[in-house]
Amino acid sequence: MKKYVLDLQVKSVKRIHERYVLLKLTNEHPLPQTLPGQFVEVRVDGSPATFLRRPISVHFVDRARNELWLLVAVVGDGTRRLAQLQEGEILNCMLPLGNGFYLPQQQAGEQDSVAAAGKYLLVGGGVGVAPLLYQGAVLKEACGANVTFLLGARTAKDLLMMDEFHKYGRVCVTTEDGSLGEKGFVTNHSLLREERFDMIQCCGPTPMMRAVVAYATQTEQQCQVSLENMMACGLGACLCCVEKIRQREDDGTVALRNVCVCKDGPVFDKEDLTWLI
């Protein structure tokens, strides 16, 4: 997929949480085609301590308004500068980068498109919920899939963009303090004991994703995860995001090899991961 370096205009900046802001970006020309699970590399101007671009998941693409949404966790000098952007400012972005989540083929002329596309469970925690909104929207609106979101957070106030998630599927919630939904971690939710899915896709803290992969393996369900390794270039050149994966050879044997998460991922099937060894 062709990559672009574009000066995007900041359409709005909304503080949705003490630690998160939602940026909506636009351009005078139609935005490039971007798939759920891909990301952008953002150049941070006006921050002397920030030398490298910052990788940020694509949260949503609104084609009707020609908007790209980025959900930014404010954790350092670079992201603090992004949170201070004003409407009308310019943000230089390289996009779209990486490989996205699996999407079922749209069934042309299929009467029961939901049954054809299947049931999808999208599991997220923290800022890892960011790529799941766009994935859920495309699954429902373009593919006719049956979408369930399973979102986890420490407390009710840490759950992000809930109104948007409700537009595209059923939303199940866990909070560690029990202030909303079921108490505990996402992998403790009763949904996982009661239902099965054609595909589970997740993004969030590594311990959470490891637990989801273990669950999917035990119950023999397909699963993909979006890794959040430290990335700098976004093109596979700097080698700072290298991950060891399992690759099946032509003779049926499985070999280990190193890949760049930014270029070969960030989305991987559970069978590719060494977590199962």
Side-chain angles (χ1 to χ4, degrees):
M1 183 176 288
K2 185 176 180 180
K3 299 171 178 59
Y4 301 81
V5 179
L6 300 175
D7 285 332
L8 301 182
Q9 185 179 48
V10 177
K11 193 170 183 179
S12 69
V13 182
K14 183 178 180 181
R15 175 74 69 164
I16 61 173
H17 185 277
E18 60 185 10
R19 297 193 305 274
Y20 298 95
V21 295
L22 177 66
L23 300 180
K24 294 185 179 182
L25 310 174
T26 191
N27 193 262
E28 59 181 341
H29 303 293
L31 293 168
Q33 180 186 8
T34 304
L35 300 175
Q38 292 186 305
F39 66 99
V40 305
E41 285 275 358
V42 175
R43 190 182 72 201
V44 183
D45 298 325
S47 174
T50 307
F51 303 102
L52 301 173
R53 289 177 179 264
R54 290 294 184 263
I56 302 177
S57 297
V58 173
H59 187 40
F60 192 75
V61 177
D62 187 331
R63 287 290 171 194
R65 294 181 171 84
N66 200 38
E67 292 177 354
L68 171 70
W69 297 9
L70 302 180
L71 183 61
V72 181
V74 182
V75 295
D77 290 337
T79 48
R80 275 194 291 271
R81 168 59 188 136
L82 295 179
Q84 295 167 357
L85 287 168
Q86 300 295 315
E87 181 179 336
E89 288 194 70
I90 297 299
L91 191 61
N92 184 269
C93 298
M94 181 165 56
L95 76 161
L97 300 174
N99 297 302
F101 290 109
Y102 169 79
L103 290 168
Q105 295 296 315
Q106 188 173 8
Q107 302 294 317
E110 185 73 46
Q111 289 185 350
D112 189 358
S113 60
V114 172
K119 291 177 61 178
Y120 280 70
L121 177 64
L122 308 185
V123 186
V127 76
V129 304
L132 303 183
L133 178 63
Y134 188 31
Q135 172 68 352
V138 173
L139 280 171
K140 178 183 178 181
E141 297 187 339
C143 305
N146 185 321
V147 178
T148 298
F149 297 101
L150 177 53
L151 309 178
R154 292 180 180 177
T155 69
K157 68 181 181 65
D158 296 319
L159 290 162
L160 307 172
M161 306 293 291
M162 294 292 286
D163 290 344
E164 294 295 329
F165 282 104
H166 278 287
K167 293 179 181 178
Y168 304 109
R170 175 177 49 153
V171 179
C172 300
V173 167
T174 65
T175 50
E176 293 179 28
D177 66 354
S179 54
L180 187 66
E182 296 188 13
K183 184 175 182 179
F185 300 120
V186 290
T187 46
N188 302 130
H189 199 284
S190 59
L191 172 76
L192 301 183
R193 299 188 296 273
E194 298 167 356
E195 296 187 36
R196 292 181 60 85
F197 298 87
D198 296 295
M199 172 68 79
I200 300 170
Q201 295 169 324
C202 70
C203 184
T206 298
M208 183 209 80
M209 292 194 293
R210 283 180 175 269
V212 171
V213 165
Y215 160 79
T217 302
Q218 182 181 7
T219 56
E220 299 182 335
Q221 297 180 78
Q222 294 188 72
C223 180
Q224 290 184 314
V225 302
S226 179
L227 301 185
E228 295 186 320
N229 294 34
M230 185 71 70
M231 302 179 197
C233 71
L235 300 170
C238 68
L239 304 180
C240 75
C241 64
V242 169
E243 180 84 9
K244 192 177 295 294
I245 69 164
R246 305 165 74 239
Q247 182 180 46
R248 186 169 296 278
E249 305 293 345
D250 292 338
D251 61 2
T253 61
V254 176
L256 299 180
R257 69 182 182 97
N258 292 322
V259 298
C260 292
V261 169
C262 68
K263 180 173 66 69
D264 300 295
V267 177
F268 293 92
D269 291 333
K270 67 179 176 64
E271 289 79 9
D272 296 334
L273 304 171
T274 59
W275 299 352
L276 301 176
I277 296 178

